[in-house]
Amino acid sequence: MYSFFVNGCQVSTSKKQSLLRFLRDEMHLTSVKDGCSQGACGACTVLIDGETCKACVLQTDRLEGRSIITVDGLSKWESEVYTYAYGEAGAVQCGFCIPGMIMCTKGLLDRNPDPTEEEIKYALRNNYCRCTGYVKIIAAVKLAAKIMRAGKIPAAGADDWLLGSRVHRLDVEEKVLGYGKYPDDYYLDGMCYGTALRSKYPRARVLSIDTTAAKALPGVIDVFTAADIPGENKIGHLKHDQYTMIPVGGLTHYLGDAIALVAAEDMETAEKAKKLIKVEYEVLPAVHNIQEAAAEGAPLVFDEETTNVQAYKHVSRGNADEAISKAAHVISHHFETPWTEHAFLEPECAVAYIDDDGDVMIISTDQSAYCTFHESSLMLGTDKVKCQNALVGGGFGGKEDMTVQHLAALITYLTRRLVKVRLTRAESLLIHPKRHHFEMDFTMGCDEEGHIMGVKAKVASDTGAFASLGGPVLERACTHAAGPYAYENFEIEGRAYYTNNPPAGAFRGFGVTQTCFATETLLNMMADEIGITPWEIRYRNAIRPGGVLPNGQIVDESTGLVETLEVVKEEYEAALAAGKPVGIACAMKNAGVGVGIPDWGRVKLIVEEDAKLHIYSGASCIGQGLGTVLVQMTVTNTDLKRDDIVYERSNTWIAPDSGTTSGSRQTMITGEACRRACEKLMEAKGSDKSLKDLIGQEFYGDYLAKTDPLGADVPNPVSHVAYGYATQVCILNEKTGKIDRMIAAHDVGKAVNPLSCEGQIEGGVVMSIGYAVREKYPIDENCKPIEKYGSIGLFRAHEIPKIDAIVIDKPGLNVACGAIGIGEITSIPTAPAITDAYYRYDGSRRYVLPIDNTPYERKE
Ligand code: FES
């Protein structure tokens, strides 16, 4: 028996297991998060005898007599200070890393009440945060230290929750104190566990599956194969080519394909059972890359397809060939960008059970409860399904596809049992779609003054084992490859190829991170050839209100690219004058799905029995702060106060479908739907009624963002309702070659909450510093990802440069009170700005990401 203290109480266990498993599975202290169980992420950080430790690496037999503190053991004073400081600094986004960060904060401040910034960074160095870029977490620790020393929490500011207020996000406390629930935090009576046996080979024919021995193992509830699926085996976000399980006779597409699904009373038994399943395969040659996929006579990734080309896009306007042939300066080059792993801190998890209506209820972490509902319903062959979003521990595009939700739904449907299905970190790294690897050939022609005459390009992407969002990502890569500039001749041809690699799909930037790298690098080369600065060439070409983009769209008054350039000009030129290596790049990114696809935002406001207004929308908050946005939108458009309003997480039976959290669309599209619902509420309420008078009433608002399809035969198609614009500058340290500073100026329309906007910018910039200089997702000859969470190259707190996030508040858009989404664009111009700075540093142009010969490069 091992005996130790947890939050002051003596506990004992006879089982030798990790402290993490003991705290979560036996004590149900779910504030201690399981991010990787590999000793890498830090989400499970606790204090042991005052020292920070990762609970996943310590075994219970090593804890005799020791004292463990989790956030649940904080004093009331500490809880209040950390909640205030993290809220005031804007340090909380998805929140999954936050309890671990709080324990690092406490561990530091208990020893050192007045730490320097370097000491804070050192204290946080073992904990990853994928959302915030650490800037605001560091600020929160500083602020907490100051408050602790003063012994007094500042009086609440004059936050009115109107649009433009720097309010504390509404979910700060539950995330800081760890009581907010992600799906894995559900420990329910009678819960069993599900896990899938995955394919042994990336491309093989399944000849037979024998589950007899696995089914006979005590503790196993059942083992299922494709034959047990009551509805469609093939689901998928858009194209239905994602197999729930590969049937006997079927072809595997990658190592993540499920072959069988085990339900057992505990995870240990489920894992043992998987080893007892016998599968016979006929191993076939795999398709490893774009070249193999495109080769004549290539093996087909899908039996049912006649080619490995998953998507083809051709975007053309004007005459690029002719314009380039007449240009005074022409530059061509080949570019490549890597696969990138989202590395959200929370691995995928779903809980499912049969509810009182007899429906399959799925508690999910995803980017759209309605997508989970639709795809699970399709697979089960019934719409007696509901989905409720729990907290979502980050997504960045990687939680748009089904991974565990449908598997949990299937087990519940077939067994009537309450079940949890959770991916291990290794499974997560393999299974969810990544950012696409792109190979690109670009040519740009300019006149003597640097005005772009035309751009022509050919791009190819590896979309891996199923389509996911490979088509739309390719489309966005193509439509945005022209850049935010005013010229008329543009042509691009793109193909996405199926291979037997892990799938690729949505990732913050949605294809634009790839083609922007090529366009912006060519523009920097062009500036040098012409003899003007990279800033100047952008200023000359920049799209301005009323101007026409290469896609023919006339842009509106909210267009703020020039403002983002002007605001960085002084710093950029000062760095140049001082001889510092400095790089620059611009970007544009659509808000909303656009290109003629119906794009609905929907919100229902219900005055419930508590006489409060409850906001319901089927729009997932994945950490970006949508709930806070909708409350601010409601306060601004009604006469209600913050305390009159309750934000409800997305579900599929009360909340109306408001589309996926993708394409930086929710702030604008669901925001406008919310504004319209507020108008109806105020019509009913007038100035003489209170919410009590309206109990039981509902107010519905919707908004359809109307756009023209790609290639529409109109002179000036509206491809997207709105675009965000940005300029980023990278300044290197001339001695060390490290990044000293990033300046990121972003046009966001009306900034709903500038604090959140800054947090999005800082997080996006740090994510893309990794993309530019270090992050890799290498795949071996068996199409298997090689790296673990701790070795893919994510940036840590002590490695980040100074980041100046500049929010350009330029209203002008006629929806959502002028607010434009910012989630994706923050990551787009970073890589070309950084590569340009390195060129100024050592004279070497880089065309392949992550770039080589920098202090950040990992030597194999
Ligand atoms: Fe840190 Fe999301 S807030 S990982």
Side-chain angles (χ1 to χ4, degrees):
M1 190 67 85
Y2 315 114
S3 184
F4 43 93
F5 297 86
V6 175
N7 296 326
C9 298
Q10 189 163 17
V11 295
S12 43
T13 177
S14 56
K15 191 171 173 186
K16 186 180 163 191
Q17 60 184 322
S18 76
L19 174 61
L20 174 64
R21 292 271 56 92
F22 174 77
L23 293 174
R24 287 187 63 84
D25 299 343
E26 297 196 22
M27 293 194 72
H28 297 170
L29 286 178
T30 54
S31 66
V32 187
K33 303 298 180 199
D34 182 0
C36 69
S37 282
Q38 295 173 341
C41 76
C44 64
T45 300
V46 297
L47 290 183
I48 300 185
D49 298 333
E51 296 292 327
T52 51
C53 294
K54 290 169 180 162
C56 68
V57 297
L58 263 177
Q59 298 289 307
T60 44
D61 64 330
R62 307 286 303 274
L63 292 169
E64 188 62 39
R66 300 182 78 179
S67 171
I68 292 132
I69 304 286
T70 70
V71 289
D72 313 84
L74 296 176
S75 69
K76 185 166 178 286
W77 164 244
E78 287 171 322
S79 301
E80 287 171 1
V81 171
Y82 295 139
T83 301
Y84 177 85
Y86 272 64
E88 178 69 11
V92 176
Q93 291 190 27
C94 86
F96 201 80
C97 71
I98 296 297
M101 292 290 184
I102 297 292
M103 296 323 292
C104 293
T105 309
K106 176 174 164 58
L108 173 66
L109 300 190
D110 283 354
R111 280 194 323 274
N112 178 358
D114 192 8
T116 63
E117 181 156 326
E118 288 315 305
E119 287 168 337
I120 294 171
K121 288 180 175 178
Y122 187 78
L124 302 177
R125 74 195 182 287
N126 290 322
N127 288 47
Y128 286 113
C129 173
R130 191 59 160 164
C131 298
T132 65
Y134 306 102
V135 178
K136 296 206 182 304
I137 293 180
I138 294 163
V141 179
K142 254 189 231 169
L143 180 58
K146 191 172 160 200
I147 295 170
M148 291 277 187
R149 293 197 304 275
K152 193 167 174 250
I153 296 174
D159 277 343
D160 50 19
W161 280 75
L162 294 170
L163 294 183
S165 293
R166 296 172 72 86
V167 297
H168 294 204
R169 286 174 45 143
L170 49 81
D171 50 6
V172 168
E173 187 186 273
E174 63 179 322
K175 290 176 173 175
V176 165
L177 303 184
Y179 63 80
K181 280 190 173 177
Y182 304 82
D184 192 28
D185 296 336
Y186 285 78
Y187 283 85
L188 303 169
D189 288 344
M191 191 157 80
C192 69
Y193 295 84
T195 178
L197 175 73
R198 307 281 167 182
S199 178
K200 199 169 169 189
Y201 305 99
R203 185 165 178 271
R205 183 83 50 200
V206 176
L207 301 178
S208 68
I209 307 170
D210 182 354
T211 60
T212 316
K215 281 184 177 176
L217 186 71
V220 169
I221 297 160
D222 214 334
V223 182
F224 304 111
T225 65
D228 298 303
I229 295 170
E232 294 292 326
N233 188 356
K234 283 160 77 175
I235 57 168
H237 202 56
L238 295 175
K239 185 171 179 178
H240 294 165
D241 63 354
Q242 183 185 352
Y243 281 81
T244 301
M245 282 184 269
I246 304 298
V248 172
L251 196 61
T252 68
H253 310 97
Y254 81 123
L255 294 171
D257 272 336
I259 306 291
L261 183 60
V262 176
E265 299 295 348
D266 58 72
M267 267 314 286
E268 280 176 18
T269 306
E271 289 297 333
K272 268 188 208 155
K274 281 202 294 192
K275 296 197 176 91
L276 298 176
I277 300 171
K278 293 193 186 91
V279 185
E280 257 189 295
Y281 298 93
E282 177 195 357
V283 182
L284 298 167
V287 179
H288 296 86
N289 51 45
I290 291 169
Q291 287 69 31
E292 287 184 14
E296 207 169 319
L300 291 175
V301 174
F302 278 86
D303 276 336
E304 49 274 60
E305 301 282 347
T306 55
T307 167
N308 288 324
V309 177
Q310 183 269 313
Y312 172 77
K313 302 288 169 191
H314 180 232
V315 178
S316 176
R317 193 170 169 89
N319 188 333
D321 282 324
E322 191 182 309
I324 290 168
S325 72
K326 289 180 183 161
H329 301 272
V330 177
I331 302 179
S332 300
H333 219 282
H334 178 78
F335 298 86
E336 290 185 22
T337 59
W339 298 85
T340 315
E341 158 62 27
H342 302 77
F344 37 72
L345 264 282
E346 179 213 17
E348 298 86 336
C349 181
V351 169
Y353 59 91
I354 304 293
D355 76 0
D356 292 342
D357 299 328
D359 294 348
V360 174
M361 169 71 83
I362 306 167
I363 311 282
S364 174
T365 171
D366 58 38
Q367 295 186 211
S368 166
Y370 273 91
C371 286
T372 295
F373 162 75
H374 288 305
E375 293 190 49
S376 299
S377 295
L378 181 70
M379 187 264 310
L380 292 179
T382 172
D383 60 3
K384 282 188 69 60
V385 175
K386 296 189 183 103
C387 180
Q388 167 72 61
N389 271 173
L391 287 178
V392 181
F396 315 115
K399 287 182 181 163
E400 289 209 32
D401 302 81
M402 294 302 98
T403 50
V404 287
Q405 302 93 318
H406 59 317
L407 302 183
L410 182 61
I411 290 175
T412 287
Y413 182 85
L414 294 172
T415 65
R416 317 309 276 178
R417 289 285 302 265
L418 206 162
V419 65
K420 181 187 280 185
V421 180
R422 180 186 184 279
L423 296 187
T424 63
R425 181 54 77 172
E427 285 177 307
S428 174
L429 289 175
L430 169 67
I431 286 164
H432 67 251
K434 315 297 162 196
R435 176 184 278 143
H436 288 80
H437 159 64
F438 263 66
E439 299 181 6
M440 305 172 280
D441 290 284
F442 269 70
T443 298
M444 177 182 282
C446 283
D447 69 11
E448 293 287 2
E449 282 80 42
H451 297 111
I452 303 171
M453 305 290 291
V455 170
K456 186 162 182 181
K458 216 174 216 188
V459 302
S461 70
D462 182 343
T463 205
F466 56 87
S468 178
L469 286 157
V473 165
L474 179 69
E475 186 172 272
R476 215 56 60 245
C478 291
T479 56
H480 284 57
Y485 305 113
Y487 63 97
E488 289 170 14
N489 302 297
F490 174 71
E491 184 176 0
I492 186 166
E493 197 182 21
R495 286 178 178 79
Y497 290 94
Y498 284 125
T499 65
N500 292 113
N501 289 322
F507 193 126
R508 192 180 212 167
F510 213 82
V512 188
T513 4
Q514 290 94 323
T515 49
C516 176
F517 169 58
T519 313
E520 292 294 307
T521 301
L522 283 185
L523 209 51
N524 287 330
M525 295 164 76
M526 195 62 86
D528 286 356
E529 186 167 313
I530 289 164
I532 57 177
T533 68
W535 184 93
E536 182 62 34
I537 200 168
R538 287 173 170 81
Y539 198 68
R540 289 182 189 180
N541 285 288
I543 189 75
R544 290 163 165 82
V548 183
L549 284 166
N551 63 12
Q553 181 163 351
I554 300 170
V555 297
D556 64 41
E557 285 306 307
S558 69
T559 302
L561 177 63
V562 163
E563 285 82 347
T564 67
L565 276 162
E566 286 171 346
V567 80
V568 304
K569 184 174 188 228
E570 200 178 316
E571 301 273 18
Y572 175 78
E573 289 183 345
L576 271 187
K580 287 181 186 287
V582 56
I584 189 168
C586 294
M588 63 186 271
K589 182 69 181 67
N590 56 292
V593 176
V595 291
I597 297 165
D599 197 4
W600 283 97
R602 298 183 181 99
V603 167
K604 199 190 278 179
L605 304 175
I606 305 178
V607 185
E608 298 194 354
E609 288 298 322
D610 55 4
K612 289 187 188 288
L613 186 75
H614 291 240
I615 302 175
Y616 288 92
S617 176
S620 297
C621 178
I622 61 172
Q624 82 281 34
L626 177 66
T628 306
V629 166
L630 295 181
V631 171
Q632 287 186 263
M633 192 63 76
T634 305
V635 169
T636 303
N637 290 287
T638 63
D639 59 359
L640 302 180
K641 300 280 180 256
R642 162 72 189 99
D643 290 345
D644 298 323
I645 301 165
V646 177
Y647 168 68
E648 302 281 356
R649 278 185 203 121
S650 174
N651 68 43
T652 57
W653 68 98
I654 304 174
D657 188 358
S658 202
T660 61
T661 294
S662 180
S664 303
R665 58 182 294 285
Q666 296 295 13
T667 293
M668 184 180 77
I669 297 201
T670 301
E672 172 64 8
C674 184
R675 191 195 66 74
R676 293 180 180 197
C678 288
E679 274 182 357
K680 291 189 185 161
L681 166 74
M682 289 311 293
E683 275 168 30
K685 184 174 177 299
S687 54
D688 56 335
K689 288 196 181 119
S690 70
L691 285 179
K692 252 191 190 150
D693 300 321
L694 301 177
I695 287 174
Q697 294 197 35
E698 297 184 9
F699 305 94
Y700 172 77
D702 61 24
Y703 166 60
L704 172 63
K706 276 199 194 130
T707 51
D708 296 312
L710 206 57
D713 188 19
V714 289
N716 296 104
V718 176
S719 294
H720 294 280
V721 174
Y723 295 96
Y725 298 89
T727 300
Q728 292 187 4
V729 170
C730 169
I731 303 172
L732 298 185
N733 184 302
E734 57 270 51
K735 293 200 181 83
T736 64
K738 288 193 171 180
I739 302 169
D740 259 354
R741 190 172 169 204
M742 292 292 306
I743 305 168
H746 284 257
D747 158 37
V748 301
K750 173 69 193 163
V752 175
N753 181 349
L755 190 61
S756 281
C757 290
E758 290 163 12
Q760 288 288 310
I761 295 169
E762 290 152 1
V765 166
V766 170
M767 188 179 266
S768 257
I769 293 175
Y771 168 62
V773 303
R774 198 166 69 192
E775 285 182 35
K776 277 187 182 171
Y777 181 82
I779 297 165
D780 70 12
E781 64 284 352
N782 198 34
C783 301
K784 184 177 180 191
I786 296 164
E787 303 292 355
K788 292 184 172 172
Y789 192 84
S791 62
I792 48 183
L794 308 175
F795 265 64
R796 295 173 179 273
H798 64 290
E799 298 177 298
I800 61 162
K802 183 173 186 314
I803 299 171
D804 296 308
I806 302 170
V807 176
I808 308 275
D809 193 326
K810 190 185 181 196
L813 188 70
N814 200 20
V815 292
C817 303
I820 300 172
I822 189 178
E824 294 186 282
I825 191 170
T826 56
S827 271
I828 295 173
T830 318
I834 289 172
T835 50
D836 191 42
Y838 276 102
Y839 172 69
R840 313 289 159 194
Y841 177 69
D842 64 10
S844 168
R845 275 272 173 224
R846 276 91 162 171
Y847 307 99
V848 177
L849 297 181
I851 57 175
D852 57 7
N853 291 323
T854 75
Y856 304 104
E857 188 177 5
R858 289 183 305 152
K859 304 292 177 197
E860 307 303 336

